[in-house]
Amino acid sequence: MNVPNMLTISRFVMIPLFLTLYFNDHAVIALLIVLLAGLTDLLDGYIARRSGQITQTGIMLDPLADKLMMLSVVVALVIGGEIPWSAAATMAFREVGMIVSAAIFHFRGRRTVPANVYGKLTTFVYYLAIVFLFLEVPGGVEIIWIAIAMSFVTSGVYLMKFRHLNRAT
């Protein structure tokens, strides 16, 4: 297993750690775990591209790790009363749809679309909202709605790229 994939797998391990910290009133440390997960996401992609270690496993696991971490954060924020159920349901609908679609396409032998600038920007806005929410800075809920809207636009871009990529091969 290469370093980028190990970094990706570390994010799966961070999920229960985050949840344990958050639900035991260690929100700031839990936020640091979320930010560390975001850093490993940046690092694994950078290392994989830089060293030519991009694998189909990494292409599949990387977004899954990101989506599961984000869903964990959303569940925590809803239970903690930080975001409305409607935001959480909308985010969960989109994230679960992306996970299921990617799995179906992968197991049918279809090529998946790697992350692009739109997905990275959307992720950045989600992280910005999370920081605002965890630190109780005004505007966090509004930023999360902006990120949700961006995520649906990004999903449309991915779908078009996916169709193009699999039509060409």
Side-chain angles (χ1 to χ4, degrees), residues 22-66:
Y22 182 83
F23 289 117
N24 284 292
D25 297 321
H26 299 288
V28 173
I29 299 170
L31 173 60
L32 293 175
I33 296 298
V34 172
L35 296 176
L36 179 61
L39 179 61
T40 65
D41 184 27
L42 292 173
L43 282 175
D44 71 20
Y46 175 78
I47 293 169
R49 285 186 299 277
R50 184 87 168 165
S51 63
Q53 296 182 46
I54 296 172
T55 65
Q56 280 303 116
T57 300
I59 290 172
M60 177 82 175
L61 288 181
D62 180 69
L64 179 61
D66 297 340

Short mmCIF file of all heavy atoms in Angstrom, two decimals, residues 22-66:
data_model
loop_
_atom_site.label_atom_id
_atom_site.label_comp_id
_atom_site.label_asym_id
_atom_site.label_seq_id
_atom_site.Cartn_x
_atom_site.Cartn_y
_atom_site.Cartn_z
N TYR A 22 -16.10 15.03 19.91
CA TYR A 22 -17.20 15.98 19.81
C TYR A 22 -18.28 15.70 20.86
O TYR A 22 -18.74 16.61 21.54
CB TYR A 22 -17.81 15.96 18.40
CG TYR A 22 -18.92 16.97 18.24
CD1 TYR A 22 -18.62 18.30 17.95
CD2 TYR A 22 -20.24 16.61 18.40
CE1 TYR A 22 -19.63 19.25 17.82
CE2 TYR A 22 -21.26 17.56 18.28
CZ TYR A 22 -20.94 18.87 17.99
OH TYR A 22 -21.95 19.80 17.86
N PHE A 23 -18.66 14.44 20.98
CA PHE A 23 -19.75 14.10 21.89
C PHE A 23 -19.31 14.01 23.36
O PHE A 23 -20.14 13.78 24.23
CB PHE A 23 -20.47 12.83 21.44
CG PHE A 23 -21.29 13.07 20.19
CD1 PHE A 23 -20.99 12.39 19.02
CD2 PHE A 23 -22.31 13.99 20.19
CE1 PHE A 23 -21.73 12.62 17.86
CE2 PHE A 23 -23.06 14.22 19.05
CZ PHE A 23 -22.77 13.53 17.89
N ASN A 24 -18.04 14.21 23.60
CA ASN A 24 -17.54 14.29 24.98
C ASN A 24 -17.06 15.71 25.29
O ASN A 24 -16.14 15.90 26.09
CB ASN A 24 -16.43 13.25 25.21
CG ASN A 24 -17.02 11.87 25.35
OD1 ASN A 24 -17.71 11.59 26.33
ND2 ASN A 24 -16.78 11.01 24.37
N ASP A 25 -17.69 16.68 24.62
CA ASP A 25 -17.48 18.10 24.89
C ASP A 25 -16.05 18.58 24.65
O ASP A 25 -15.54 19.43 25.39
CB ASP A 25 -17.92 18.46 26.31
CG ASP A 25 -19.42 18.23 26.50
OD1 ASP A 25 -20.18 18.53 25.56
OD2 ASP A 25 -19.82 17.75 27.58
N HIS A 26 -15.43 18.05 23.63
CA HIS A 26 -14.10 18.50 23.21
C HIS A 26 -14.20 19.01 21.77
O HIS A 26 -13.49 18.55 20.89
CB HIS A 26 -13.08 17.38 23.32
CG HIS A 26 -12.89 16.85 24.71
ND1 HIS A 26 -12.26 17.57 25.69
CD2 HIS A 26 -13.29 15.69 25.27
CE1 HIS A 26 -12.26 16.87 26.81
NE2 HIS A 26 -12.89 15.73 26.59
N ALA A 27 -15.09 19.98 21.56
CA ALA A 27 -15.39 20.46 20.21
C ALA A 27 -14.17 21.04 19.50
O ALA A 27 -13.99 20.81 18.29
CB ALA A 27 -16.52 21.49 20.24
N VAL A 28 -13.33 21.77 20.20
CA VAL A 28 -12.18 22.38 19.55
C VAL A 28 -11.18 21.31 19.11
O VAL A 28 -10.65 21.37 17.98
CB VAL A 28 -11.51 23.44 20.46
CG1 VAL A 28 -10.22 23.95 19.85
CG2 VAL A 28 -12.47 24.60 20.71
N ILE A 29 -10.96 20.31 19.95
CA ILE A 29 -10.05 19.22 19.55
C ILE A 29 -10.68 18.42 18.41
O ILE A 29 -9.99 18.00 17.48
CB ILE A 29 -9.70 18.32 20.76
CG1 ILE A 29 -8.98 19.14 21.83
CG2 ILE A 29 -8.83 17.14 20.33
CD1 ILE A 29 -8.80 18.42 23.15
N ALA A 30 -11.99 18.22 18.47
CA ALA A 30 -12.70 17.53 17.38
C ALA A 30 -12.53 18.31 16.08
O ALA A 30 -12.30 17.72 15.01
CB ALA A 30 -14.17 17.36 17.73
N LEU A 31 -12.63 19.64 16.16
CA LEU A 31 -12.41 20.48 14.98
C LEU A 31 -11.00 20.29 14.44
O LEU A 31 -10.80 20.20 13.23
CB LEU A 31 -12.65 21.96 15.31
CG LEU A 31 -12.30 22.96 14.21
CD1 LEU A 31 -13.12 22.72 12.95
CD2 LEU A 31 -12.49 24.39 14.72
N LEU A 32 -10.03 20.20 15.32
CA LEU A 32 -8.64 19.97 14.88
C LEU A 32 -8.51 18.63 14.14
O LEU A 32 -7.77 18.54 13.16
CB LEU A 32 -7.68 20.04 16.06
CG LEU A 32 -7.53 21.42 16.70
CD1 LEU A 32 -6.64 21.35 17.94
CD2 LEU A 32 -7.00 22.45 15.71
N ILE A 33 -9.25 17.62 14.58
CA ILE A 33 -9.23 16.33 13.88
C ILE A 33 -9.82 16.48 12.49
O ILE A 33 -9.29 15.95 11.51
CB ILE A 33 -10.02 15.26 14.69
CG1 ILE A 33 -9.32 14.98 16.02
CG2 ILE A 33 -10.21 13.97 13.88
CD1 ILE A 33 -7.92 14.43 15.92
N VAL A 34 -10.91 17.24 12.37
CA VAL A 34 -11.52 17.49 11.06
C VAL A 34 -10.53 18.22 10.15
O VAL A 34 -10.36 17.88 8.98
CB VAL A 34 -12.84 18.29 11.19
CG1 VAL A 34 -13.37 18.72 9.83
CG2 VAL A 34 -13.87 17.48 11.94
N LEU A 35 -9.86 19.22 10.70
CA LEU A 35 -8.87 19.97 9.90
C LEU A 35 -7.68 19.09 9.54
O LEU A 35 -7.14 19.20 8.42
CB LEU A 35 -8.43 21.22 10.65
CG LEU A 35 -9.53 22.25 10.89
CD1 LEU A 35 -9.01 23.41 11.72
CD2 LEU A 35 -10.13 22.73 9.58
N LEU A 36 -7.27 18.20 10.43
CA LEU A 36 -6.20 17.25 10.12
C LEU A 36 -6.63 16.32 9.00
O LEU A 36 -5.85 16.02 8.09
CB LEU A 36 -5.82 16.44 11.37
CG LEU A 36 -4.73 15.38 11.18
CD1 LEU A 36 -3.42 16.02 10.72
CD2 LEU A 36 -4.54 14.59 12.47
N ALA A 37 -7.88 15.89 9.03
CA ALA A 37 -8.42 15.05 7.95
C ALA A 37 -8.36 15.82 6.62
O ALA A 37 -7.98 15.26 5.59
CB ALA A 37 -9.84 14.62 8.27
N GLY A 38 -8.71 17.10 6.66
CA GLY A 38 -8.63 17.92 5.45
C GLY A 38 -7.21 18.05 4.95
O GLY A 38 -6.95 17.99 3.75
N LEU A 39 -6.26 18.18 5.87
CA LEU A 39 -4.85 18.26 5.49
C LEU A 39 -4.37 16.96 4.86
O LEU A 39 -3.67 16.98 3.84
CB LEU A 39 -4.00 18.60 6.72
CG LEU A 39 -2.49 18.71 6.48
CD1 LEU A 39 -2.18 19.82 5.49
CD2 LEU A 39 -1.77 18.95 7.79
N THR A 40 -4.78 15.82 5.43
CA THR A 40 -4.38 14.54 4.82
C THR A 40 -4.99 14.38 3.43
O THR A 40 -4.38 13.77 2.56
CB THR A 40 -4.75 13.32 5.70
OG1 THR A 40 -6.16 13.22 5.80
CG2 THR A 40 -4.10 13.39 7.06
N ASP A 41 -6.17 14.95 3.24
CA ASP A 41 -6.79 14.91 1.91
C ASP A 41 -5.93 15.67 0.91
O ASP A 41 -5.68 15.20 -0.20
CB ASP A 41 -8.20 15.48 1.98
CG ASP A 41 -8.93 15.38 0.65
OD1 ASP A 41 -8.63 14.47 -0.14
OD2 ASP A 41 -9.83 16.22 0.41
N LEU A 42 -5.49 16.84 1.30
CA LEU A 42 -4.61 17.62 0.41
C LEU A 42 -3.30 16.89 0.15
O LEU A 42 -2.82 16.82 -0.98
CB LEU A 42 -4.32 18.99 1.02
CG LEU A 42 -5.48 19.97 1.11
CD1 LEU A 42 -5.05 21.21 1.89
CD2 LEU A 42 -5.97 20.34 -0.28
N LEU A 43 -2.72 16.34 1.21
CA LEU A 43 -1.43 15.67 1.09
C LEU A 43 -1.50 14.41 0.24
O LEU A 43 -0.63 14.17 -0.58
CB LEU A 43 -0.88 15.30 2.47
CG LEU A 43 -0.24 16.42 3.26
CD1 LEU A 43 0.14 15.94 4.66
CD2 LEU A 43 0.99 16.95 2.54
N ASP A 44 -2.53 13.59 0.46
CA ASP A 44 -2.57 12.34 -0.31
C ASP A 44 -2.70 12.61 -1.80
O ASP A 44 -2.03 11.98 -2.62
CB ASP A 44 -3.62 11.36 0.21
CG ASP A 44 -5.07 11.75 -0.05
OD1 ASP A 44 -5.36 12.57 -0.93
OD2 ASP A 44 -5.93 11.22 0.67
N GLY A 45 -3.51 13.60 -2.16
CA GLY A 45 -3.64 13.95 -3.57
C GLY A 45 -2.35 14.51 -4.15
O GLY A 45 -1.92 14.15 -5.25
N TYR A 46 -1.72 15.39 -3.39
CA TYR A 46 -0.46 15.99 -3.84
C TYR A 46 0.61 14.92 -4.03
O TYR A 46 1.28 14.87 -5.06
CB TYR A 46 0.00 17.05 -2.83
CG TYR A 46 1.34 17.64 -3.16
CD1 TYR A 46 1.47 18.60 -4.16
CD2 TYR A 46 2.49 17.21 -2.51
CE1 TYR A 46 2.70 19.14 -4.48
CE2 TYR A 46 3.73 17.74 -2.82
CZ TYR A 46 3.83 18.71 -3.81
OH TYR A 46 5.05 19.22 -4.13
N ILE A 47 0.78 14.07 -3.02
CA ILE A 47 1.81 13.03 -3.10
C ILE A 47 1.52 12.06 -4.24
O ILE A 47 2.42 11.68 -4.99
CB ILE A 47 1.93 12.28 -1.75
CG1 ILE A 47 2.48 13.22 -0.68
CG2 ILE A 47 2.83 11.05 -1.89
CD1 ILE A 47 2.39 12.66 0.74
N ALA A 48 0.26 11.67 -4.37
CA ALA A 48 -0.10 10.72 -5.43
C ALA A 48 0.20 11.29 -6.82
O ALA A 48 0.78 10.60 -7.67
CB ALA A 48 -1.58 10.35 -5.32
N ARG A 49 -0.17 12.54 -7.04
CA ARG A 49 0.09 13.15 -8.35
C ARG A 49 1.58 13.38 -8.57
O ARG A 49 2.11 13.10 -9.63
CB ARG A 49 -0.67 14.47 -8.48
CG ARG A 49 -2.16 14.29 -8.72
CD ARG A 49 -2.86 15.61 -8.98
NE ARG A 49 -2.75 16.54 -7.87
CZ ARG A 49 -3.53 16.55 -6.80
NH1 ARG A 49 -4.48 15.65 -6.68
NH2 ARG A 49 -3.36 17.43 -5.84
N ARG A 50 2.25 13.89 -7.55
CA ARG A 50 3.67 14.25 -7.65
C ARG A 50 4.56 13.02 -7.89
O ARG A 50 5.54 13.11 -8.63
CB ARG A 50 4.09 14.95 -6.36
CG ARG A 50 5.46 15.47 -6.34
CD ARG A 50 5.49 16.83 -6.94
NE ARG A 50 6.79 17.41 -6.64
CZ ARG A 50 7.26 18.45 -7.22
NH1 ARG A 50 6.53 19.07 -8.10
NH2 ARG A 50 8.44 18.90 -6.93
N SER A 51 4.21 11.91 -7.23
CA SER A 51 5.06 10.72 -7.33
C SER A 51 4.51 9.65 -8.28
O SER A 51 5.05 8.56 -8.35
CB SER A 51 5.25 10.11 -5.94
OG SER A 51 4.01 9.68 -5.43
N GLY A 52 3.43 9.97 -8.98
CA GLY A 52 2.85 9.01 -9.92
C GLY A 52 2.25 7.80 -9.23
O GLY A 52 2.27 6.70 -9.78
N GLN A 53 1.70 7.99 -8.03
CA GLN A 53 1.13 6.88 -7.27
C GLN A 53 -0.40 6.91 -7.27
O GLN A 53 -1.03 6.43 -6.33
CB GLN A 53 1.65 6.90 -5.84
CG GLN A 53 3.14 6.68 -5.73
CD GLN A 53 3.58 6.65 -4.27
OE1 GLN A 53 2.97 6.02 -3.43
NE2 GLN A 53 4.67 7.35 -3.99
N ILE A 54 -0.99 7.45 -8.31
CA ILE A 54 -2.45 7.47 -8.41
C ILE A 54 -2.92 6.06 -8.71
O ILE A 54 -2.43 5.42 -9.65
CB ILE A 54 -2.92 8.46 -9.50
CG1 ILE A 54 -2.51 9.88 -9.12
CG2 ILE A 54 -4.42 8.34 -9.72
CD1 ILE A 54 -2.76 10.90 -10.21
N THR A 55 -3.84 5.56 -7.89
CA THR A 55 -4.38 4.21 -8.09
C THR A 55 -5.89 4.27 -8.18
O THR A 55 -6.51 5.21 -7.69
CB THR A 55 -3.99 3.29 -6.91
OG1 THR A 55 -4.62 3.77 -5.71
CG2 THR A 55 -2.47 3.23 -6.71
N GLN A 56 -6.48 3.25 -8.77
CA GLN A 56 -7.94 3.17 -8.81
C GLN A 56 -8.50 3.06 -7.40
O GLN A 56 -9.54 3.62 -7.10
CB GLN A 56 -8.40 1.99 -9.66
CG GLN A 56 -8.37 2.25 -11.15
CD GLN A 56 -9.20 3.46 -11.56
OE1 GLN A 56 -8.67 4.45 -12.05
NE2 GLN A 56 -10.50 3.39 -11.36
N THR A 57 -7.78 2.36 -6.52
CA THR A 57 -8.21 2.25 -5.13
C THR A 57 -8.25 3.63 -4.49
O THR A 57 -9.22 3.98 -3.82
CB THR A 57 -7.25 1.33 -4.34
OG1 THR A 57 -7.26 0.04 -4.96
CG2 THR A 57 -7.66 1.22 -2.89
N GLY A 58 -7.22 4.42 -4.71
CA GLY A 58 -7.17 5.77 -4.16
C GLY A 58 -8.26 6.65 -4.74
O GLY A 58 -8.90 7.42 -4.01
N ILE A 59 -8.49 6.53 -6.04
CA ILE A 59 -9.54 7.33 -6.68
C ILE A 59 -10.90 7.00 -6.08
O ILE A 59 -11.75 7.88 -5.93
CB ILE A 59 -9.52 7.11 -8.21
CG1 ILE A 59 -8.27 7.77 -8.81
CG2 ILE A 59 -10.79 7.65 -8.86
CD1 ILE A 59 -8.05 7.44 -10.28
N MET A 60 -11.09 5.74 -5.69
CA MET A 60 -12.37 5.31 -5.11
C MET A 60 -12.44 5.65 -3.61
O MET A 60 -13.44 6.17 -3.13
CB MET A 60 -12.52 3.80 -5.30
CG MET A 60 -13.73 3.22 -4.69
SD MET A 60 -15.13 3.44 -5.76
CE MET A 60 -16.36 2.54 -4.84
N LEU A 61 -11.36 5.36 -2.86
CA LEU A 61 -11.41 5.53 -1.40
C LEU A 61 -11.32 6.99 -0.96
O LEU A 61 -11.91 7.36 0.05
CB LEU A 61 -10.28 4.74 -0.73
CG LEU A 61 -10.44 3.22 -0.72
CD1 LEU A 61 -9.25 2.58 -0.01
CD2 LEU A 61 -11.75 2.81 -0.07
N ASP A 62 -10.57 7.81 -1.68
CA ASP A 62 -10.38 9.21 -1.28
C ASP A 62 -11.71 9.95 -1.13
O ASP A 62 -11.99 10.51 -0.07
CB ASP A 62 -9.44 9.92 -2.25
CG ASP A 62 -9.23 11.37 -1.87
OD1 ASP A 62 -8.59 11.62 -0.83
OD2 ASP A 62 -9.72 12.25 -2.60
N PRO A 63 -12.55 9.97 -2.15
CA PRO A 63 -13.83 10.69 -1.96
C PRO A 63 -14.74 10.01 -0.94
O PRO A 63 -15.50 10.68 -0.25
CB PRO A 63 -14.47 10.71 -3.35
CG PRO A 63 -13.74 9.70 -4.15
CD PRO A 63 -12.40 9.49 -3.53
N LEU A 64 -14.64 8.67 -0.81
CA LEU A 64 -15.45 7.98 0.19
C LEU A 64 -15.05 8.43 1.60
O LEU A 64 -15.91 8.73 2.44
CB LEU A 64 -15.30 6.47 0.05
CG LEU A 64 -16.09 5.62 1.05
CD1 LEU A 64 -17.58 5.87 0.92
CD2 LEU A 64 -15.76 4.14 0.85
N ALA A 65 -13.75 8.50 1.85
CA ALA A 65 -13.27 8.96 3.16
C ALA A 65 -13.74 10.39 3.43
O ALA A 65 -14.19 10.71 4.54
CB ALA A 65 -11.74 8.88 3.22
N ASP A 66 -13.65 11.24 2.41
CA ASP A 66 -14.08 12.63 2.57
C ASP A 66 -15.58 12.72 2.87
O ASP A 66 -16.00 13.45 3.76
CB ASP A 66 -13.79 13.43 1.30
CG ASP A 66 -12.31 13.51 0.99
OD1 ASP A 66 -11.49 13.29 1.91
OD2 ASP A 66 -11.97 13.79 -0.17
#
